[in-house]
Amino acid sequence: MELTGRTALVTGAGGGIGAACARRLAAGGARVLVVDRRGDLARKVAAEVGGLAVEADLGEPGFADGLPDEPVDIVVNNAGFQHVAPIEEFPPDVFATMLRVMVEAPFLIARRVLPGMYARGWGRVVNISSVHGLRASPYKSAYTTAKHALEGFSKTLALEGAPHGVTSTCVCPAYVRTGLVEGQIADQARAHGIAADEVVEDIMLRPAAIKRLIEPEEVAELVAYLCGPAGSFITGVSLPLDGGWTAR
Ligand SMILES: NC(=O)c1ccc[n+]([C@@H]2O[C@H](COP(=O)([O-])OP(=O)(O)OC[C@H]3O[C@@H](n4cnc5c(N)ncnc54)[C@H](O)[C@@H]3O)[C@@H](O)[C@H]2O)c1
């Protein structure tokens, strides 16, 4: 299998896209470190994929010191969350936490694992960005800011990592069928002043040409491709899985 012998660290791997990535990378032969702030979910997925559960909250200072001390070949920076509110009502502490979890944590993880990747001459960093790393939407100021920042970090890592065999890419999905999307329907309805059952059609699917949610497994498939041999020349780019959203 193409990922045999590789160790992958996947953040937010207790559910949604992260769990799908953990399953797909394990199916490709990788040992997976299943990182999540929910230890129960991390343990469930780790047991399923024969990996190691790591309970860690990426918003906590010093979390990186608690990561397992073993060589990591692949990092999937996936942990994230959403908060929907107009800027003038957006809680400053939530804004700061979102930047810590979705921007600072990928930087701190890279800082920790890059020396080993450089020494071994091989590494893959895949950042789960979003169509909101490429486009903005109202009421998602922190999320759009964090994802745009992650895009910048990924490009810089690509330039620094290239001489050492390390690639860095962003994967940019539109709306994926996960708990994160379920959880924002009521907030989107409130912010836009529409009924909850209108949110999927009128807000989430309106910008995309293909009118359906993406499945987490479809995102994981692209992640696995980038981590395998076929991904070796793909770096510093952002790959939209957006059903045509950014074609407009
Ligand atoms: N669902 C979508 O429509 C969508 C679209 C584009 C991008 N994304 C991105 O994909 C990533 C995963 O989203 P999802 O939809 O699978 O979300 P999800 O809510 O289904 O799962 C997120 C996982 O991350 C964990 N997590 C959250 N905060 C954490 C923290 N501080 N430390 C450690 N673990 C933490 C949660 O416990 C959960 O298991 C996010 O970065 C999100 O921005 C999602």
Side-chain angles (χ1 to χ4, degrees):
M1 287 188 289
E2 55 192 26
L3 299 178
T4 299
R6 307 289 189 202
T7 296
L9 183 151
V10 184
T11 68
I17 296 167
C21 289
R23 291 187 189 106
R24 179 59 185 83
L25 295 175
R31 165 175 164 76
V32 183
L33 309 180
V34 180
V35 181
D36 205 286
R37 72 174 163 190
R38 291 269 310 269
D40 56 333
L41 299 180
R43 283 187 288 278
K44 191 162 162 273
V45 175
E48 201 187 310
V49 304
L52 179 71
V54 181
E55 184 173 339
D57 184 337
L58 274 53
E60 290 295 320
F63 81 88
D65 300 332
L67 296 177
D69 196 16
E70 62 176 279
V72 170
D73 308 297
I74 295 167
V75 173
V76 181
N77 286 310
N78 165 80
F81 65 100
Q82 182 60 276
H83 188 87
V84 179
I87 293 169
E88 66 277 17
E89 293 169 18
F90 208 99
D93 60 323
V94 176
F95 194 99
T97 304
M98 208 176 279
L99 287 175
R100 262 206 314 282
V101 173
M102 292 159 64
V103 182
E104 242 181 81
F107 157 72
L108 292 170
I109 292 170
R111 225 175 154 268
R112 185 177 161 103
V113 304
L114 282 178
M117 288 181 175
Y118 289 177
R120 294 185 297 280
W122 197 95
R124 296 278 196 274
V125 178
V126 182
N127 301 292
I128 307 300
S129 177
S130 163
V131 72
H132 287 100
L134 309 171
R135 297 286 186 276
S137 288
Y139 315 126
K140 295 189 171 178
S141 55
Y143 190 85
T144 303
T145 303
K147 293 302 191 187
H148 276 68
L150 183 62
E151 297 273 334
F153 178 66
S154 176
K155 288 179 196 166
T156 308
L157 204 166
L159 298 181
E160 293 187 21
H164 308 282
V166 175
T167 67
S168 176
T169 47
C170 282
V171 170
C172 304
Y175 287 96
V176 189
R177 194 188 305 280
T178 69
L180 183 141
V181 162
E182 303 286 325
Q184 69 179 273
I185 289 179
D187 293 343
Q188 289 261 29
R190 204 167 24 254
H192 288 273
I194 60 173
D197 58 6
E198 292 167 343
V199 167
V200 173
E201 293 267 297
D202 288 0
I203 305 293
M204 295 181 173
L205 298 183
R206 186 189 293 265
I210 300 175
K211 304 295 183 189
R212 69 169 176 87
L213 299 176
I214 319 166
E215 302 301 329
E217 292 72 22
E218 296 179 83
V219 180
E221 200 56 44
L222 178 55
V223 171
Y225 181 88
L226 292 168
C227 295
S232 69
F233 204 62
I234 306 175
T235 196
V237 292
S238 303
L239 301 173
L241 272 174
D242 68 354
W245 184 319
T246 52
R248 292 183 195 278

